[in-house]
Amino acid sequence: MTGEIENGAIYPSLKDRSVFITGGGRGIGESLVEHFCAQGSHVAFVDIAEEPSRRLVERIGAKGDPAPHFIPCDLRDIESLRKAIAEAAERNGPIRVLCNNAGNDDRHRTEDVSVDYWDDRMAVNVRHQFFAAQAVRPHMKAAGGGSIINFGSITWMVGDPDCPAYVTSKAAITGMTRALAREFGPERIRVNCMIPGWVMTERQVRLWLNPEGERQIAERQCLPDRLYAPDIARMALFLGADDSRMCSSQQFIVDGGWV
């Protein structure tokens, strides 16, 4: 099972809509790109991993869906991110949906964290989300509104003990979402925070899904099924579509009932 379902929702408002996704080459981001393309959206995405990103573009095009536009980008370089957003808007029209998905949850212990590592985790997980929102705001305002979807994590809600810098950055995203939603709201720009649980991406399964992890899922989740990237992508579609036009400054938790 991969989390795919038959006869998933179609959102007419997403057809031909300009969508920008960070970290779109792998994992949850890959599924976001696939699902928005399947809705007929004009998708541009950035990622530091070029090979899987280019394979994704080819795979989607081969299915007959509108092929996304891939822009290589290291999101720690804010100027490169700004240029990528400008390129996407020039190609696809004013950006109406931003999925601030990119992040990295490498494990670490407090005693091993240096100042440089801490700053890098903030740059990888939260700083680029703010500057991407800043960059798309004029596009959305000119278009009469839009949807910014920031990606947090349940890790800060449960207080995971093995990645304190990551947990801190993800908690910060919730606060940032609330602030931006209040500021951008008069321009009909909605800002929400997606809170995924433990999603069974290839990376998560390869690095951390062991018998102990399986027991933890069985004990903590209300639902018995595993959580997959398409489960997250389908919520993102709703938040990007006009169906959620009065949803802003909220957290949308998709975790199988973990927290």
Side-chain angles (χ1 to χ4, degrees), residues 82-168:
R82 288 171 171 156
K83 289 178 180 178
I85 288 172
E87 178 181 331
E90 182 176 357
R91 180 186 179 94
N92 294 337
I95 294 167
R96 297 289 306 279
V97 178
L98 167 65
C99 292
N100 267 327
N101 161 74
N104 185 288
D105 63 347
D106 280 350
R107 305 306 195 248
H108 52 273
R109 304 293 298 181
T110 294
E111 59 267 26
D112 299 324
V113 173
S114 66
V115 172
D116 287 343
Y117 182 81
W118 178 271
D119 290 345
D120 184 71
R121 293 303 89 184
M122 298 304 118
V124 167
N125 291 314
V126 63
R127 187 179 69 180
H128 63 83
Q129 294 203 20
F130 175 84
F131 286 103
Q134 180 191 67
V136 302
R137 183 184 186 181
H139 301 273
M140 294 183 176
K141 181 179 180 180
S147 175
I148 296 173
I149 308 165
N150 299 323
F151 278 69
S153 169
I154 66 167
T155 55
W156 75 266
M157 294 179 168
V158 300
D160 277 359
D162 56 357
C163 48
Y166 177 76
V167 169
T168 301

Coordinates of all heavy atoms in Angstrom, one line a residue, residues 82-168:
R82 N 14.9 33.4 -4.7 CA 14.1 34.5 -5.3 C 14.2 34.4 -6.8 O 13.1 34.7 -7.4 CB 14.7 35.8 -4.8 CG 14.4 36.1 -3.3 CD 15.2 37.3 -2.8 NE 14.8 37.7 -1.5 CZ 15.6 38.4 -0.6 NH1 16.8 38.7 -1.0 NH2 15.1 38.7 0.5
K83 N 15.3 34.1 -7.4 CA 15.4 34.0 -8.8 C 14.5 32.9 -9.3 O 13.9 33.0 -10.4 CB 16.9 33.8 -9.2 CG 17.7 35.1 -9.0 CD 19.2 34.8 -9.4 CE 20.0 36.0 -9.2 NZ 21.5 35.8 -9.5
A84 N 14.5 31.7 -8.6 CA 13.7 30.6 -9.0 C 12.2 31.0 -9.0 O 11.5 30.6 -9.9 CB 14.0 29.4 -8.1
I85 N 11.8 31.7 -8.0 CA 10.4 32.1 -7.9 C 10.0 33.1 -9.1 O 9.0 32.9 -9.7 CB 10.1 32.7 -6.5 CG1 10.1 31.6 -5.5 CG2 8.8 33.5 -6.5 CD1 10.0 32.1 -4.0
A86 N 11.0 34.0 -9.4 CA 10.7 34.9 -10.5 C 10.7 34.1 -11.8 O 9.8 34.4 -12.7 CB 11.8 35.9 -10.5
E87 N 11.5 33.2 -12.0 CA 11.5 32.3 -13.2 C 10.2 31.6 -13.3 O 9.6 31.5 -14.4 CB 12.7 31.4 -13.2 CG 12.8 30.4 -14.4 CD 13.9 29.5 -14.3 OE1 15.0 29.8 -13.8 OE2 13.8 28.4 -14.9
A88 N 9.8 31.0 -12.2 CA 8.5 30.2 -12.2 C 7.3 31.1 -12.6 O 6.4 30.7 -13.4 CB 8.3 29.6 -10.9
A89 N 7.3 32.3 -12.0 CA 6.2 33.2 -12.3 C 6.2 33.7 -13.8 O 5.1 33.8 -14.4 CB 6.3 34.4 -11.4
E90 N 7.4 33.9 -14.3 CA 7.5 34.3 -15.7 C 7.0 33.2 -16.6 O 6.4 33.5 -17.6 CB 8.9 34.7 -16.0 CG 9.1 35.2 -17.5 CD 10.5 35.6 -17.7 OE1 11.4 35.6 -16.8 OE2 10.8 36.0 -18.9
R91 N 7.3 32.0 -16.3 CA 6.9 30.8 -17.1 C 5.4 30.5 -16.9 O 4.8 30.2 -17.9 CB 7.8 29.6 -16.7 CG 7.5 28.4 -17.5 CD 8.3 27.2 -17.0 NE 8.1 26.0 -17.7 CZ 8.8 25.5 -18.7 NH1 9.8 26.2 -19.1 NH2 8.5 24.4 -19.3
N92 N 5.0 30.4 -15.7 CA 3.6 29.9 -15.4 C 2.6 30.9 -15.0 O 1.4 30.5 -14.8 CB 3.7 28.8 -14.3 CG 4.5 27.6 -14.7 OD1 4.7 27.3 -15.8 ND2 5.1 26.9 -13.7
G93 N 3.0 32.1 -14.9 CA 2.0 33.2 -14.4 C 2.2 33.4 -12.9 O 2.9 32.7 -12.2
P94 N 1.5 34.4 -12.4 CA 1.7 34.8 -11.0 C 1.4 33.5 -10.1 O 0.4 32.8 -10.3 CB 0.6 35.8 -10.8 CG 0.4 36.4 -12.1 CD 0.6 35.3 -13.1
I95 N 2.3 33.3 -9.1 CA 2.2 32.2 -8.3 C 1.0 32.3 -7.3 O 0.9 33.3 -6.6 CB 3.5 31.9 -7.5 CG1 4.6 31.6 -8.4 CG2 3.3 30.8 -6.4 CD1 6.0 31.6 -7.8
R96 N 0.1 31.3 -7.3 CA -1.1 31.4 -6.5 C -1.1 30.4 -5.4 O -1.8 30.5 -4.4 CB -2.4 31.1 -7.4 CG -2.6 32.1 -8.5 CD -3.1 33.4 -8.0 NE -4.3 33.3 -7.1 CZ -5.5 33.1 -7.6 NH1 -5.8 33.1 -8.9 NH2 -6.5 33.0 -6.7
V97 N -0.2 29.4 -5.5 CA -0.1 28.4 -4.4 C 1.4 28.2 -4.1 O 2.2 27.9 -5.1 CB -0.7 27.1 -4.7 CG1 -0.5 26.0 -3.6 CG2 -2.2 27.2 -5.0
L98 N 1.8 28.3 -2.9 CA 3.2 28.1 -2.5 C 3.2 26.9 -1.5 O 2.5 27.0 -0.4 CB 3.8 29.3 -1.8 CG 5.2 29.1 -1.1 CD1 6.3 28.6 -2.0 CD2 5.6 30.3 -0.3
C99 N 3.9 25.9 -1.7 CA 4.1 24.8 -0.8 C 5.5 24.8 -0.3 O 6.4 24.4 -1.0 CB 3.8 23.4 -1.5 SG 2.1 23.1 -1.9
N100 N 5.6 25.3 1.0 CA 6.9 25.4 1.6 C 7.3 24.1 2.3 O 7.2 23.9 3.5 CB 6.9 26.5 2.7 CG 7.4 27.9 2.1 OD1 8.2 27.9 1.3 ND2 6.8 28.9 2.6
N101 N 7.7 23.1 1.4 CA 7.8 21.7 1.9 C 9.2 21.4 2.3 O 9.3 20.5 3.2 CB 7.3 20.8 0.8 CG 7.9 19.4 0.9 OD1 7.4 18.6 1.8 ND2 8.9 19.0 0.1
A102 N 10.2 21.9 1.8 CA 11.6 21.4 1.9 C 12.0 21.5 3.4 O 11.7 22.4 4.1 CB 12.5 22.2 1.1
G103 N 12.8 20.4 3.8 CA 13.4 20.4 5.1 C 14.2 19.1 5.3 O 14.3 18.3 4.4
N104 N 14.9 19.0 6.4 CA 15.7 17.9 6.7 C 15.7 17.6 8.1 O 16.0 18.4 9.0 CB 17.2 18.2 6.2 CG 18.1 17.0 6.3 OD1 18.5 16.6 7.4 ND2 18.5 16.4 5.2
D105 N 15.4 16.3 8.5 CA 15.2 15.9 9.9 C 16.4 15.0 10.3 O 16.1 14.1 11.1 CB 13.9 15.2 10.1 CG 13.7 13.9 9.3 OD1 14.6 13.7 8.4 OD2 12.8 13.2 9.5
D106 N 17.6 15.2 9.9 CA 18.7 14.4 10.3 C 18.8 14.4 11.9 O 18.5 15.4 12.5 CB 20.0 15.0 9.8 CG 20.3 14.6 8.4 OD1 19.6 13.7 7.9 OD2 21.2 15.1 7.8
R107 N 19.1 13.3 12.4 CA 19.1 13.1 13.9 C 20.4 13.7 14.5 O 21.5 13.6 13.8 CB 19.0 11.6 14.2 CG 17.8 10.9 13.7 CD 16.5 11.6 14.0 NE 15.3 10.8 13.8 CZ 14.4 11.0 12.8 NH1 14.6 12.0 12.0 NH2 13.4 10.2 12.7
H108 N 20.3 14.2 15.7 CA 21.5 14.8 16.4 C 21.2 14.9 17.8 O 20.0 14.9 18.3 CB 21.8 16.2 15.8 CG 20.6 17.1 15.7 ND1 19.7 17.1 14.7 CD2 20.2 18.0 16.6 CE1 18.8 18.0 14.9 NE2 19.1 18.6 16.1
R109 N 22.2 15.0 18.6 CA 22.1 15.1 20.1 C 22.6 16.5 20.5 O 23.4 17.1 19.8 CB 23.0 14.1 20.8 CG 22.7 12.6 20.4 CD 21.4 12.2 20.9 NE 21.2 12.2 22.4 CZ 20.1 11.9 23.0 NH1 19.1 11.5 22.3 NH2 20.1 11.9 24.3
T110 N 22.0 17.0 21.5 CA 22.3 18.4 22.0 C 23.8 18.6 22.1 O 24.4 19.7 21.7 CB 21.6 18.7 23.3 OG1 20.2 18.7 23.0 CG2 22.0 20.1 23.8
E111 N 24.5 17.7 22.7 CA 25.9 17.9 23.0 C 26.8 17.9 21.7 O 27.9 18.4 21.8 CB 26.5 16.8 23.9 CG 26.3 15.4 23.4 CD 25.0 14.7 23.8 OE1 24.1 15.4 24.1 OE2 25.0 13.4 23.9
D112 N 26.2 17.5 20.6 CA 27.0 17.5 19.4 C 26.7 18.7 18.5 O 27.3 18.8 17.4 CB 26.7 16.2 18.6 CG 27.1 15.0 19.3 OD1 28.1 15.0 20.0 OD2 26.3 14.0 19.2
V113 N 25.8 19.6 18.9 CA 25.4 20.7 18.0 C 26.3 21.9 18.2 O 26.5 22.4 19.3 CB 23.9 21.1 18.4 CG1 23.5 22.4 17.6 CG2 22.9 20.0 18.1
S114 N 26.9 22.3 17.1 CA 27.7 23.5 17.0 C 26.9 24.7 16.6 O 25.8 24.5 16.1 CB 28.9 23.3 16.1 OG 28.4 23.1 14.7
V115 N 27.4 25.8 16.7 CA 26.7 27.0 16.3 C 26.5 27.0 14.8 O 25.4 27.3 14.3 CB 27.6 28.3 16.6 CG1 26.9 29.5 15.9 CG2 27.6 28.5 18.1
D116 N 27.5 26.5 14.0 CA 27.3 26.4 12.6 C 26.2 25.4 12.2 O 25.4 25.6 11.3 CB 28.6 26.0 11.9 CG 29.7 27.1 11.9 OD1 29.3 28.3 12.1 OD2 30.9 26.8 11.7
Y117 N 26.2 24.3 12.9 CA 25.2 23.3 12.6 C 23.8 23.8 12.9 O 22.8 23.6 12.2 CB 25.4 22.0 13.4 CG 24.4 20.9 13.1 CD1 24.5 20.1 12.0 CD2 23.3 20.7 13.9 CE1 23.6 19.1 11.7 CE2 22.4 19.7 13.6 CZ 22.5 18.9 12.5 OH 21.6 17.9 12.2
W118 N 23.7 24.5 14.1 CA 22.4 25.1 14.4 C 21.9 26.1 13.4 O 20.7 26.0 12.9 CB 22.5 25.8 15.8 CG 21.3 26.5 16.2 CD1 20.9 27.8 16.0 CD2 20.2 25.9 17.0 NE1 19.7 28.0 16.5 CE2 19.2 26.9 17.2 CE3 20.0 24.7 17.6 CZ2 18.1 26.7 17.9 CZ3 18.9 24.5 18.4 CH2 17.9 25.5 18.5
D119 N 22.8 27.0 13.0 CA 22.4 28.0 11.9 C 22.0 27.3 10.6 O 21.1 27.7 9.9 CB 23.5 28.9 11.7 CG 23.8 29.9 12.9 OD1 22.9 29.9 13.8 OD2 24.8 30.5 13.0
D120 N 22.7 26.2 10.3 CA 22.4 25.5 9.0 C 21.0 24.8 9.1 O 20.3 24.8 8.2 CB 23.5 24.4 8.8 CG 23.2 23.7 7.4 OD1 23.4 24.4 6.4 OD2 22.9 22.6 7.5
R121 N 20.7 24.3 10.3 CA 19.4 23.7 10.4 C 18.2 24.7 10.3 O 17.2 24.4 9.7 CB 19.2 22.9 11.8 CG 20.1 21.7 12.0 CD 19.9 20.7 10.9 NE 20.7 20.9 9.7 CZ 20.7 20.1 8.6 NH1 19.8 19.1 8.6 NH2 21.5 20.4 7.6
M122 N 18.5 25.9 10.8 CA 17.5 26.9 10.7 C 17.3 27.3 9.2 O 16.2 27.6 8.7 CB 17.8 28.2 11.5 CG 17.9 27.9 13.0 SD 16.3 27.2 13.7 CE 17.0 25.6 14.3
A123 N 18.5 27.4 8.5 CA 18.4 27.8 7.1 C 17.8 26.7 6.3 O 17.0 27.0 5.3 CB 19.9 28.0 6.6
V124 N 18.0 25.5 6.6 CA 17.4 24.3 5.8 C 15.9 24.2 6.1 O 15.2 23.8 5.2 CB 18.2 23.0 6.1 CG1 17.5 21.8 5.6 CG2 19.6 23.1 5.6
N125 N 15.5 24.5 7.3 CA 14.1 24.1 7.7 C 13.1 25.3 7.8 O 11.9 25.0 7.6 CB 14.2 23.4 9.0 CG 14.8 22.0 8.9 OD1 14.5 21.2 8.0 ND2 15.7 21.7 9.8
V126 N 13.6 26.5 8.1 CA 12.6 27.5 8.4 C 12.9 28.8 7.6 O 12.0 29.5 7.2 CB 12.4 27.8 9.9 CG1 13.7 28.3 10.5 CG2 11.3 28.7 10.2
R127 N 14.1 29.2 7.5 CA 14.4 30.5 6.9 C 13.9 30.7 5.5 O 13.3 31.7 5.2 CB 15.9 30.8 7.0 CG 16.3 32.2 6.5 CD 17.8 32.4 6.6 NE 18.5 31.7 5.6 CZ 19.8 31.7 5.4 NH1 20.6 32.4 6.2 NH2 20.4 31.0 4.4
H128 N 14.1 29.7 4.7 CA 13.6 29.8 3.3 C 12.1 29.9 3.2 O 11.6 30.4 2.2 CB 14.2 28.6 2.5 CG 13.7 27.3 2.9 ND1 12.4 26.8 2.5 CD2 14.2 26.3 3.7 CE1 12.3 25.6 3.0 NE2 13.3 25.3 3.8
Q129 N 11.4 29.3 4.2 CA 9.9 29.4 4.1 C 9.5 30.9 4.2 O 8.6 31.3 3.5 CB 9.3 28.5 5.2 CG 9.5 27.1 5.1 CD 8.5 26.2 5.8 OE1 7.4 26.7 6.1 NE2 8.8 25.0 6.1
F130 N 10.1 31.6 5.1 CA 9.8 33.0 5.3 C 10.1 33.8 4.0 O 9.2 34.5 3.5 CB 10.5 33.6 6.4 CG 10.3 35.1 6.6 CD1 9.2 35.6 7.2 CD2 11.2 36.0 6.0 CE1 9.0 37.0 7.3 CE2 11.0 37.4 6.1 CZ 9.9 37.9 6.7
F131 N 11.2 33.6 3.4 CA 11.6 34.4 2.3 C 10.9 33.9 1.0 O 10.7 34.8 0.1 CB 13.1 34.4 2.1 CG 13.8 35.2 3.1 CD1 14.5 34.6 4.2 CD2 13.8 36.6 3.0 CE1 15.1 35.4 5.2 CE2 14.4 37.4 4.0 CZ 15.1 36.8 5.0
A132 N 10.5 32.7 0.9 CA 9.6 32.3 -0.2 C 8.3 33.0 -0.1 O 7.7 33.4 -1.1 CB 9.5 30.8 -0.2
A133 N 7.7 33.0 1.1 CA 6.4 33.7 1.3 C 6.6 35.2 1.0 O 5.7 35.8 0.3 CB 6.0 33.5 2.8
Q134 N 7.6 35.8 1.4 CA 7.9 37.2 1.1 C 7.9 37.4 -0.4 O 7.4 38.4 -0.9 CB 9.2 37.6 1.7 CG 9.6 39.1 1.5 CD 11.1 39.3 1.9 OE1 12.0 38.8 1.3 NE2 11.2 40.1 2.9
A135 N 8.6 36.5 -1.2 CA 8.7 36.6 -2.6 C 7.4 36.4 -3.4 O 7.2 37.1 -4.4 CB 9.8 35.7 -3.1
V136 N 6.6 35.5 -2.9 CA 5.3 35.2 -3.7 C 4.2 36.2 -3.3 O 3.2 36.3 -4.0 CB 4.8 33.8 -3.5 CG1 5.9 32.8 -3.9 CG2 4.3 33.6 -2.0
R137 N 4.4 36.9 -2.2 CA 3.3 37.8 -1.8 C 2.8 38.8 -2.8 O 1.6 38.9 -3.1 CB 3.7 38.6 -0.5 CG 2.6 39.5 0.1 CD 3.1 40.2 1.3 NE 2.0 41.0 1.9 CZ 2.2 41.8 2.9 NH1 3.4 41.9 3.5 NH2 1.2 42.5 3.4
P138 N 3.7 39.5 -3.5 CA 3.3 40.4 -4.6 C 2.5 39.7 -5.7 O 1.5 40.3 -6.2 CB 4.6 41.0 -5.1 CG 5.6 40.8 -4.0 CD 5.2 39.5 -3.4
H139 N 2.9 38.5 -6.1 CA 2.2 37.8 -7.1 C 0.7 37.5 -6.7 O -0.2 37.7 -7.4 CB 2.9 36.4 -7.4 CG 4.3 36.6 -7.8 ND1 4.6 36.8 -9.2 CD2 5.5 36.5 -7.2 CE1 5.9 36.8 -9.3 NE2 6.5 36.7 -8.1
M140 N 0.6 37.0 -5.4 CA -0.7 36.7 -4.9 C -1.6 37.9 -4.7 O -2.8 37.9 -5.1 CB -0.6 35.9 -3.6 CG 0.1 34.5 -3.8 SD 0.2 33.6 -2.2 CE 0.9 32.1 -2.8
K141 N -1.0 39.0 -4.3 CA -1.8 40.2 -4.1 C -2.3 40.7 -5.4 O -3.5 41.1 -5.5 CB -0.9 41.3 -3.4 CG -1.6 42.6 -3.1 CD -0.7 43.6 -2.5 CE -1.5 44.9 -2.2 NZ -0.6 45.9 -1.5
A142 N -1.4 40.7 -6.4 CA -1.9 41.2 -7.7 C -2.9 40.3 -8.4 O -3.8 40.8 -9.1 CB -0.6 41.3 -8.7
A143 N -2.9 39.0 -8.0 CA -3.9 38.0 -8.6 C -5.2 38.0 -7.8 O -6.1 37.3 -8.1 CB -3.3 36.6 -8.6
G144 N -5.2 38.7 -6.7 CA -6.5 38.8 -5.9 C -6.5 37.8 -4.8 O -7.5 37.6 -4.1
G145 N -5.4 37.1 -4.5 CA -5.3 36.2 -3.4 C -4.5 35.0 -3.7 O -4.0 34.8 -4.9
G146 N -4.3 34.1 -2.7 CA -3.5 32.9 -2.9 C -3.4 32.1 -1.6 O -4.0 32.5 -0.6
S147 N -2.7 31.0 -1.7 CA -2.6 30.1 -0.6 C -1.1 29.7 -0.3 O -0.4 29.2 -1.2 CB -3.4 28.8 -0.8 OG -3.2 27.9 0.2
I148 N -0.6 30.0 0.9 CA 0.7 29.6 1.3 C 0.6 28.5 2.3 O -0.1 28.6 3.3 CB 1.5 30.8 1.9 CG1 1.7 31.9 0.9 CG2 2.8 30.3 2.5 CD1 2.3 33.2 1.5
I149 N 1.2 27.3 2.0 CA 1.2 26.2 2.8 C 2.6 25.9 3.4 O 3.4 25.5 2.7 CB 0.6 24.9 2.1 CG1 -0.7 25.3 1.3 CG2 0.5 23.7 3.0 CD1 -1.1 24.3 0.3
N150 N 2.7 26.2 4.7 CA 4.0 26.0 5.3 C 4.0 24.5 5.9 O 2.9 24.1 6.4 CB 4.3 27.0 6.4 CG 4.4 28.4 5.9 OD1 4.9 28.6 4.8 ND2 3.8 29.3 6.7
F151 N 5.1 23.9 5.9 CA 5.2 22.5 6.4 C 5.9 22.4 7.7 O 7.1 22.8 7.8 CB 5.8 21.6 5.3 CG 4.9 21.1 4.3 CD1 4.4 22.0 3.3 CD2 4.5 19.8 4.2 CE1 3.5 21.6 2.3 CE2 3.6 19.4 3.2 CZ 3.1 20.3 2.3
G152 N 5.2 22.0 8.7 CA 5.7 21.8 10.0 C 5.9 20.4 10.3 O 6.3 19.6 9.4
S153 N 5.7 19.9 11.5 CA 5.9 18.5 11.9 C 5.3 18.3 13.3 O 5.3 19.2 14.1 CB 7.4 18.2 11.9 OG 7.6 16.9 12.5
I154 N 4.8 17.1 13.5 CA 4.4 16.7 14.9 C 5.5 16.6 15.9 O 5.3 16.5 17.1 CB 3.5 15.5 14.9 CG1 4.3 14.2 14.5 CG2 2.3 15.6 14.0 CD1 3.6 12.9 14.8
T155 N 6.7 16.6 15.4 CA 7.9 16.4 16.3 C 7.9 17.4 17.4 O 8.2 17.0 18.6 CB 9.2 16.4 15.5 OG1 9.3 17.7 14.8 CG2 9.3 15.3 14.6
W156 N 7.5 18.6 17.2 CA 7.6 19.6 18.2 C 6.4 19.4 19.2 O 6.5 19.8 20.4 CB 7.6 21.0 17.7 CG 6.4 21.6 17.1 CD1 6.0 21.6 15.8 CD2 5.3 22.3 17.9 NE1 4.7 22.2 15.7 CE2 4.3 22.6 16.9 CE3 5.1 22.6 19.2 CZ2 3.1 23.3 17.3 CZ3 4.0 23.3 19.5 CH2 3.0 23.6 18.6
M157 N 5.3 18.9 18.7 CA 4.2 18.6 19.6 C 4.4 17.5 20.6 O 4.0 17.5 21.7 CB 2.9 18.3 18.7 CG 2.5 19.5 17.9 SD 1.0 19.0 16.9 CE 0.5 20.6 16.3
V158 N 5.1 16.5 20.1 CA 5.4 15.3 21.0 C 6.8 15.5 21.7 O 7.1 14.7 22.6 CB 5.3 14.0 20.2 CG1 4.0 13.8 19.6 CG2 6.4 13.9 19.1
G159 N 7.6 16.4 21.2 CA 8.9 16.6 21.9 C 9.9 15.5 21.6 O 10.5 15.0 22.5
D160 N 10.1 15.2 20.3 CA 11.0 14.2 19.9 C 12.4 14.5 20.5 O 12.9 15.7 20.4 CB 11.1 14.0 18.4 CG 10.0 13.1 17.9 OD1 9.2 12.6 18.6 OD2 10.0 12.9 16.6
P161 N 13.1 13.5 21.1 CA 14.3 13.8 21.8 C 15.6 13.7 21.0 O 16.7 14.0 21.6 CB 14.3 12.8 22.9 CG 13.7 11.6 22.3 CD 12.6 12.1 21.3
D162 N 15.5 13.3 19.8 CA 16.7 13.0 19.0 C 17.0 14.0 17.9 O 17.8 13.7 17.0 CB 16.7 11.6 18.5 CG 15.5 11.3 17.6 OD1 14.6 12.2 17.5 OD2 15.3 10.2 17.1
C163 N 16.4 15.2 17.9 CA 16.7 16.2 16.8 C 16.2 17.5 17.3 O 15.3 18.1 16.7 CB 16.0 15.8 15.5 SG 14.2 15.3 15.7
P164 N 16.8 18.1 18.4 CA 16.3 19.3 19.0 C 16.4 20.5 18.1 O 15.5 21.4 18.1 CB 17.3 19.5 20.2 CG 18.5 18.7 19.9 CD 18.0 17.5 19.1
A165 N 17.4 20.6 17.2 CA 17.4 21.8 16.3 C 16.2 21.7 15.3 O 15.6 22.7 14.9 CB 18.7 21.9 15.5
Y166 N 16.0 20.5 14.8 CA 14.9 20.3 13.8 C 13.5 20.6 14.5 O 12.7 21.3 14.0 CB 14.9 18.8 13.3 CG 13.7 18.5 12.4 CD1 13.7 18.9 11.1 CD2 12.7 17.7 12.9 CE1 12.6 18.5 10.3 CE2 11.6 17.3 12.1 CZ 11.6 17.8 10.8 OH 10.6 17.4 9.9
V167 N 13.4 20.1 15.7 CA 12.1 20.3 16.5 C 11.9 21.8 16.7 O 10.8 22.3 16.5 CB 12.2 19.6 17.8 CG1 11.0 20.0 18.7 CG2 12.1 18.0 17.6
T168 N 13.0 22.5 17.1 CA 12.9 24.0 17.3 C 12.4 24.7 16.0 O 11.6 25.5 16.0 CB 14.2 24.5 17.7 OG1 14.6 23.9 19.0 CG2 14.1 26.0 18.0

